[in-house]
Amino acid sequence: DSGVTQTPKHLITATGQRVTLRCSPRSGDLSVYWYQQSLDQGLQFLIQYYNGEERAKGNILERFSAQQFPDLHSELNLSSLELGDSALYFCASSHMARDGAEAFFGQGTRLTVV
Amino acid sequence: TQLLEQSPQFLSIQEGENLTVYCNSSSVFSSLQWYRQEPGEGPVLLVTVVTGGEVKKLKRLTFQFGDARKDSSLHITAAQPGDTGLYLCAGATGAGSYQLTFGKGTKLSVIP
């Protein structure tokens, strides 16, 4: 158990819909990262938050957004869903005490868009 | 865009054999991490290497960071079925954001 909790574990939704994925980081970790993992692209960095503020953006579509709340949990919002958005979405957290800080991953949310 | 190329993409070996997985890039990374991921689970960190030429050992696993900090290798001695999984390398850019660039992974199957 990494200490990072993601909900829900599975999500099936229709094209055009909007979903919210939730992540609770490890206790004491201030940094949260979101990654998308698909079969053809591997793990792709989407976005990072540190102590409530956006820190870095990766390959995140404009239809996607995220935020980190005062209690440090984070949500990833995916809207106008397309079939190609089907993937595993992982949240990771780190204390960010140093460069390349160890990131602990949650078990992921498997999103299926039908 | 910084890319990490992993090879081989798939590897199927018999229990007891040795294997090496490679992770290469044209970019320099401030540190490099190796993760192992099992089906339905998130990646689990195995090791972080930060110094060019560094070698780290974790039981039967040996990790090496290239002198120029552009490449890395993972060597497994006497592989066991429990080693089966997806091995991912990930590089940190050192740009302050602490984001990781992942390779696509090597899927290892160790046959009893």
Side-chain angles (χ1 to χ4, degrees):
Chain A
D1 183 4
S2 67
V4 178
T5 304
Q6 287 188 249
T7 57
K9 194 160 186 178
H10 301 277
L11 197 50
I12 301 175
T13 190
T15 54
Q17 294 298 304
R18 173 190 169 94
V19 297
T20 297
L21 312 184
R22 184 188 168 99
C23 168
S24 293
R26 289 190 324 152
S27 177
D29 283 356
L30 301 177
S31 194
V32 169
Y33 312 76
W34 286 97
Y35 288 85
Q36 180 193 58
Q37 187 176 38
S38 59
L39 283 174
D40 56 340
Q41 292 294 322
L43 264 166
Q44 297 282 311
F45 169 72
L46 295 178
I47 197 164
Q48 177 199 6
Y49 279 83
Y50 177 73
N51 204 19
E53 294 190 2
E54 182 183 304
R55 187 63 181 259
K57 255 186 177 178
N59 301 321
I60 187 166
L61 299 172
E62 284 192 12
R63 300 183 285 109
F64 296 179
S65 65
Q67 52 185 329
Q68 187 179 27
F69 296 86
D71 67 352
L72 300 178
H73 91 270
S74 178
E75 292 181 355
L76 179 67
N77 301 296
L78 315 176
S79 61
S80 303
L81 284 167
E82 302 174 359
L83 295 177
D85 297 328
S86 295
L88 270 167
Y89 290 84
F90 286 103
C91 167
S93 74
S94 73
H95 187 62
M96 211 171 130
R98 56 180 170 80
D99 181 38
E102 179 175 358
F104 293 85
F105 282 78
Q107 290 192 312
T109 293
R110 181 174 291 280
L111 173 67
T112 302
V113 182
V114 298
Chain B
T1 303
Q2 296 173 310
L3 294 174
L4 276 168
E5 302 285 341
Q6 283 190 245
S7 62
Q9 194 175 353
F10 300 96
L11 192 54
S12 182
I13 61 171
Q14 294 289 328
E15 181 177 359
E17 292 183 348
N18 301 332
L19 67 113
T20 302
V21 175
Y22 299 94
C23 177
N24 295 293
S25 176
S26 58
S27 303
V28 175
F29 291 98
S30 59
S31 66
L32 198 135
Q33 300 177 346
W34 284 91
Y35 289 81
R36 179 164 160 257
Q37 184 180 17
E38 297 190 38
E41 303 289 329
V44 175
L45 180 68
L46 296 174
V47 77
T48 300
V49 285
V50 296
T51 306
E54 182 177 1
V55 176
K56 277 193 176 178
K57 290 195 175 185
L58 187 67
K59 297 184 181 177
R60 294 176 293 101
L61 278 60
T62 301
F63 305 86
Q64 186 161 7
F65 201 13
D67 291 340
R69 304 207 314 273
K70 293 183 179 181
D71 56 88
S72 182
S73 64
L74 157 61
H75 182 79
I76 301 179
T77 303
Q80 299 176 1
D83 296 328
T84 294
L86 179 68
Y87 288 82
L88 297 159
C89 65
T93 63
S97 69
Y98 303 93
Q99 69 185 70
L100 295 172
T101 299
F102 278 84
K104 290 190 179 181
T106 293
K107 194 166 185 180
L108 172 65
S109 295
V110 181
I111 303 164

